[in-house]
Amino acid sequence: MSPQPQAAVGAPLSRVDGRLKVTGRATYAAEHDIEGVVHAVIVDSTIGRGRITGIDTRAALAQRGVIKVISHLNAPKLAYRGNPESIDPPGRQLEVFQDDKVLFRGQPVAVVVATTLEVAQHAASLVKVRYDAEKPSTDMASAATGEPVNYARGDADKAFAAAAVRLDVTYRQPRAHHNAMEPHATIARWDGDKLTLWDKTQWPVGTQKDVAAQFGIPKDSVRVIAPFLGGGFGSAIRAWPHIATAAIAARETGRPVKLVLSRKQMYFGTGYRPAYEYRVRLGSDRRGRVSAIVQNLKAETSTYENFTEGVLHAGQMVYNAPHVRQDYRTVPLDVNTPAWMRGPGFATAAFAIESAIDELAHKLGIDPIELRLRNEPEEDPSNGLPFSTRRLRECLATGAREFGWSRRNPKPRSTRDGDWLLGTGMAAGIMDVPRGFTTQARVRLDADGTALVEAATSDMGPGTYTSQSQVAADALGLTMRHVTFRLGDSTMPPAPPHGGSMTMAMVGSAVQDGCDTLRKQAIKLAVEDERSPLYGVDARNVVVRAGRLHMPDNPARGETYRQLLTRNGRTHLEVLGSYTAGEARSSMYSYSVTFAEVAVDARLGLVRVRRMLGVYDAGRIISPKLADSQALGGQVGGIGAALLEHTVTDHRDGRIVNADLANYMVPVNADVPDLRAIFLDGGEDLEAATIGVKGLGEVVHVGVAPAIANAVFHATGRRVRELPITVEALL
């Protein structure tokens, strides 16, 4: 069949849902207008560990408008039978209102349901809970670790001891919270034994299955609706306790219940990027060839679930060392369970690895880019597989040229602008290509020549509505205005979590498959229809453009979808596209290199990012305008991680001290003056996905924080190994 003409893919199109968002007509979880809805407010534990010895609800129930107060004393017993398809960490998820145990500060211990939000909030403040409190363990530095996850090749300890040049340093990163603009919210309504949830979720199908397992009901008895998300960054992939709380409240009151977490509750009601301690030992010869890498990691988790993430992969394969040893230990604490956060695992690893490589380069007197080039592997050293594509060399060369790296004086603290010390730094980043999910997309072509495409994915901001419409429009040979893409409903064909940079690859490939199949059906219908101008022609030579089927060498010979379907008495054509990633024959990653220039006030220690450049090998770019937005957003997040963001815990009682946006600092416009992104051309990766993409949303964040940290060292000569980089660390 002749290649299908392309018009939408690769074009810098604006978001198809942009007008809805800027006019306030996009409906988020808490904004659905559900008849008869009442309001729920969670009562949080005020101790970090112990047992509930009593709950006094009399004052709360005496308030006009209060419908019910639910706790473990009167809540129904739920099945909590486990979801075999869950991606939740090993252990036992928090079981809401099922016993008197308190596992962390902020745990839901009761919920108040009232006719208005204000009454529910006031009544919640009147619920008096008595505890038998114990001192919680919340400090990773003084707690015992669990069993390690190990990796080894060669004899890293022996090679390190024999190395001519050795580096032994430890990096620390604090807990960090997602802090998306939209708070987590759920509206729950029971219709008999059927439950509908309007929820903020990055995985409608996952939430559907988790809640069904919690309540011990069939999966098809739960419907999850989530057409829009106001940011997520990984915080909304799993079903957190507030969802079950809303469903319990709705069933117990017989009313639809709306539950919205406060900003403070989001610090313990959902997950976070866990705190890490990351020791790195590098051994090399004097020419900079790394022979040994030893990495010892510790990370916090909860006592009831053992959260881990892919933090070891980068250290195994980003640089070519024959001898590598790693151990990764979690530290169970009296805290709520961590979660995935943008660039999970890889962003954490990048700060330690890329900072250590920069330190080694300085110690050797070798340019940081040159040191990386000398240790570039030809194949994946962790498994011997060839790379599907690895264009990190091109990223380095392109970034060095565009950033002006050659003008850099390598000596730290050598460049000034008045009172400001200037420095430049860079770091590489990688992110794996997730696999293992089967994805489907329903494609329907109506007789009026318009198409509807549906998949149960989400859109927390990257532009899923737009990019999937672009793929569908080109595959069907329609203009964008004739294609509608719908998402965010568990009744639609199943899709994987909207995270891990997998949506474009997996959902996009399923959309491509469905649209290709439907287009071929239409062409077959035409060439077999004696009344069609295309009757009898070779179907492989027919193309479709702007809704019209025709011969490429004779455009006048053809007809529109509308003419074809109407003549044949068809109201529509419909197919189900699918995509399942096959067994990996190559090592598949996206790559980035971030360059940063900072200014540090020599007297005050203030750090300001002056400019940043990111260069990316992310496969085929479907939507350049959206990709650029993703890259700049990733860079902004990296600025926050490097200079601002950290969660502070009072270890006496487990209280989070800065659980609000007044004290948990995130970047604002003044912090991001000059950001730029470059995507390498011709990077299509057909092994990673049938549409040639590799994933972008995570890798644009990975490596940003170490690039800034390396620039701060170049500016000041002071190496800061703990994030965020504060004034106190530089004075």
Side-chain angles (χ1 to χ4, degrees), residues 451-472:
L452 173 65
V453 184
E454 295 179 323
T457 185
S458 296
D459 185 1
M460 60 176 162
T464 309
Y465 283 104
T466 306
S467 55
Q468 302 298 340
S469 296
Q470 288 175 272
V471 171

Side-chain angles (χ1 to χ4, degrees), residues 137 154 465 584 702:
S137 172
Y465 283 104
V702 178

